[in-house]
Amino acid sequence: MIVLSHLAKNEKDQWLPRLFDLLYENMHRIAPSGLNRDQEMEQWLIQVSPALDKEPRQILMCFADDTLVGFLQYYTRNDLLMIEEVQISRQYQRTFVFYRLCKHLMDTLPEQISIIEAYADKRNHASIRLMDKLGMVTVEEDESAFIHTRGSAQTIRTIFTKGAAL
């Protein structure tokens, strides 16, 4: 059974290493950083842990039975939803886990959210294709390793409300 819950911020020290494990397993081949695993984890924790202390930053976790199988890290500001990270364990990719994470998020977002933005590593072609399917367009393309995209929250809400195929 799939269960979704927001990370209790007072438990972040327990969960962040497990979230990193999932991120690292998915990304170290697609977008290697040049750092070893321990260095990459230290760098990630230094960035993510203090950011979670800010109220708008949240992590939605997905469990299959009692096993962590995915997470979605995001924040809201005024009319903007910024998706910072989406990771799903390999055996649950191309299943309904992504849909369930996004549908839950869309169902619980404040109505004033009208814009959704996300970044993806330029080497992560699967993420870029997914953002294209959601109607997101490139906002800026520069010398950075990341692509910045933006889309209509209403369009994306409709996709996840109607259960359209991605």
Side-chain angles (χ1 to χ4, degrees):
M1 179 170 75
I2 299 294
V3 175
L4 301 167
S5 66
H6 276 90
L7 170 70
K9 292 185 178 189
N10 62 341
E11 297 177 1
K12 71 179 182 174
D13 292 338
Q14 169 195 342
W15 285 104
L16 287 180
R18 293 177 64 190
L19 298 175
F20 176 81
D21 288 343
L22 184 52
L23 174 124
Y24 186 81
E25 179 61 32
N26 286 339
M27 297 304 296
H28 78 278
R29 284 185 214 94
I30 295 170
S33 69
L35 302 175
N36 69 41
R37 186 186 187 293
D38 291 340
Q39 291 169 322
E40 202 166 318
M41 182 172 171
E42 180 181 353
Q43 193 173 68
W44 189 78
L45 290 173
I46 286 170
Q47 293 172 3
V48 173
S49 184
L52 276 175
D53 293 335
K54 298 175 183 172
E55 180 61 33
R57 283 208 157 73
Q58 302 291 325
I59 295 179
L60 180 61
M61 299 187 301
C62 181
F63 297 88
D65 299 316
D66 292 327
T67 303
L68 176 70
V69 297
F71 72 94
L72 191 154
Q73 180 180 331
Y74 69 95
Y75 68 85
T76 59
R77 183 181 64 232
N78 302 323
D79 64 344
L80 172 72
L81 166 66
M82 175 60 76
I83 305 293
E84 296 181 296
E85 194 70 57
V86 179
Q87 294 296 329
I88 299 170
S89 66
R90 239 183 236 152
Q91 66 267 33
Y92 286 89
Q93 292 175 7
R94 293 171 182 74
T95 69
F96 278 104
V97 167
F98 177 76
Y99 175 82
R100 293 279 306 274
L101 278 165
C102 293
K103 179 166 179 31
H104 181 82
L105 182 61
M106 293 298 104
D107 289 346
T108 59
L109 279 178
E111 280 300 314
Q112 78 258 19
I113 299 296
S114 60
I115 301 165
I116 298 177
E117 293 187 4
Y119 286 87
D121 190 294
K122 289 178 180 176
R123 299 169 288 183
N124 192 341
H125 303 291
S127 289
I128 294 168
R129 279 193 307 273
L130 183 57
M131 288 188 273
D132 287 344
K133 286 181 180 183
L134 292 171
M136 299 179 80
V137 296
T138 301
V139 174
E140 59 187 59
E141 183 112 23
D142 56 22
E143 298 301 315
S144 149
F146 297 94
I147 185 169
H148 179 190
T149 62
R150 177 179 295 147
S152 159
Q154 185 55 46
T155 299
I156 294 171
R157 274 188 176 107
T158 300
I159 290 169
F160 289 105
T161 301
K162 293 183 177 179
L166 296 176

